[in-house]
Amino acid sequence: MGPSVIAASTTQFNVLINSIFASGLEDGAIFWLAAAFRLMQLPLGIFGVALGTVTLPLLSRLVVAGRMDAFRSELARAMRWAMLLTLPATAGLMMLAEPIISVVYQHGKFTAFEAAQAAGALRFYAIGLAGYAALKVLVNAFYALDRRKTPMLVSFVAVVLNILLNWIFTVRLGWGHRGLAFSTGCIATFNFLLLYLLMQSQLKGLETRRLLLLLLKVAVAGAALVAVCAASSHWLLADWRVQSLWIKLPALLATVAAGAAAFAACGVCCTLRN
């Protein structure tokens, strides 16, 4: 139980470290980071946590039954689903960060300037969204194999690396609160890649070729989503700073729906061709 709790708590510990660094930056940095992090957690909770919750009992049963080939297959499939569901969300959050933040928060004393600052953090947080989601599945796989200390040890490395990257991005490079968000995104990706390599070594393979093929298809389909978001940012949402909520909200929802449709249509075309 102890290693599991420690590994699970490192994300919040890194958030605390970010807050300490942010306290030495410009006024509002802590608030902008918190606002952006909450929005990044939404798709993570819907997709990543849900996948992790569903896969843990299944993977545990397969280990107990000694069906390691099935364990490998189910784990690889769950991670592909995590990537498929969160990478489009990553693209959407990065392309539409300002109007999303504006619609959710720009009311009362929350100004367009603060929305833009929080949006800058959201873009960098989104870099680690797919890594966070896949980690929810991958860490549970280590628990199913009764290798609880591995995620804990990797999390210790991640904390040290997070402190180092925070210092580089904020003190040396002067990126401000955006540097802290970028560090968080990098740490999530690093965590996933290291645990993935360790699991691949443990299982003697993890269907990496199928994962890479999926990532290629998602990249092609994601280009269509990005194009829709870019067009909307140029026309429908170009004046998000001064538009009223009742103009921005329908425009944003229409953009999200159109982008999702473009991604799905392009993804289906890529699948049919193969």
Side-chain angles (χ1 to χ4, degrees):
M1 180 64 72
S4 303
V5 173
I6 294 173
S9 64
T10 53
T11 297
Q12 297 305 318
F13 188 69
N14 282 333
V15 171
L16 175 62
I17 293 173
N18 287 358
S19 298
I20 294 173
F21 274 90
S23 64
L25 301 175
E26 66 268 42
D27 292 340
I30 295 177
F31 178 63
W32 300 331
L33 287 170
F37 192 72
R38 288 192 194 100
L39 278 179
M40 193 273 289
Q41 291 277 32
L42 178 60
L44 177 61
I46 294 174
F47 302 126
V49 174
L51 281 170
T53 302
V54 170
T55 56
L56 177 57
L58 173 60
L59 295 178
S60 299
R61 287 196 298 270
L62 292 174
V63 171
V64 171
R67 299 174 57 192
M68 297 309 297
D69 287 342
F71 176 90
R72 182 189 303 110
S73 178
E74 290 297 332
L75 174 58
R77 184 170 66 170
M79 285 191 291
R80 290 197 298 272
W81 270 107
M83 295 293 177
L84 178 61
L85 292 171
T86 55
L87 285 175
T90 296
L93 288 175
M94 294 182 74
M95 293 297 299
L96 302 173
E98 284 94 348
I100 290 174
I101 291 283
S102 179
V103 164
V104 175
Y105 292 111
Q106 193 179 331
H107 314 288
K109 295 182 179 180
F110 197 99
T111 65
F113 170 77
E114 290 176 315
Q117 295 300 314
L122 179 59
R123 282 196 177 91
F124 285 119
Y125 274 138
I127 292 173
L129 177 57
Y132 272 126
L135 275 173
K136 297 296 182 182
V137 175
L138 191 52
V139 168
N140 284 344
F142 279 97
Y143 295 161
L145 292 171
D146 199 24
R147 292 190 58 188
R148 300 174 183 272
K149 291 184 179 180
T150 301
M152 181 187 70
L153 294 175
V154 171
S155 69
F156 288 158
V157 177
V159 169
V160 175
L161 184 58
N162 184 48
I163 295 173
L164 176 61
L165 291 180
N166 282 349
W167 180 80
I168 292 174
F169 295 145
T170 59
V171 178
R172 298 295 298 176
L173 299 180
W175 289 4
H177 69 288
R178 292 175 177 83
L180 298 176
F182 184 52
S183 173
T184 301
C186 290
I187 292 302
T189 305
F190 164 80
N191 247 350
F192 166 69
L193 290 176
L194 182 54
L195 285 175
Y196 184 90
L197 292 175
L198 292 173
M199 182 59 74
Q200 186 181 43
S201 176
Q202 170 77 19
L203 299 178
K204 309 302 181 184
L206 201 52
E207 300 184 7
T208 302
R209 183 176 180 179
R210 294 186 66 179
L211 177 61
L212 293 176
L213 180 60
L214 173 71
L215 293 178
L216 178 61
K217 293 179 179 179
V218 169
V220 174
L225 186 154
V226 168
V228 170
C229 293
S232 179
S233 298
H234 186 69
W235 285 294
L236 283 178
L237 296 166
D239 299 320
W240 65 269
R241 291 175 178 267
V242 296
Q243 287 175 332
S244 69
L245 174 64
W246 305 114
I247 295 177
K248 282 184 291 192
L249 180 58
L252 179 60
L253 293 177
T255 302
V256 171
F263 178 85
C266 193
V268 169
C269 288
C270 290
T271 301
L272 291 177
R273 289 181 179 180
N274 289 286

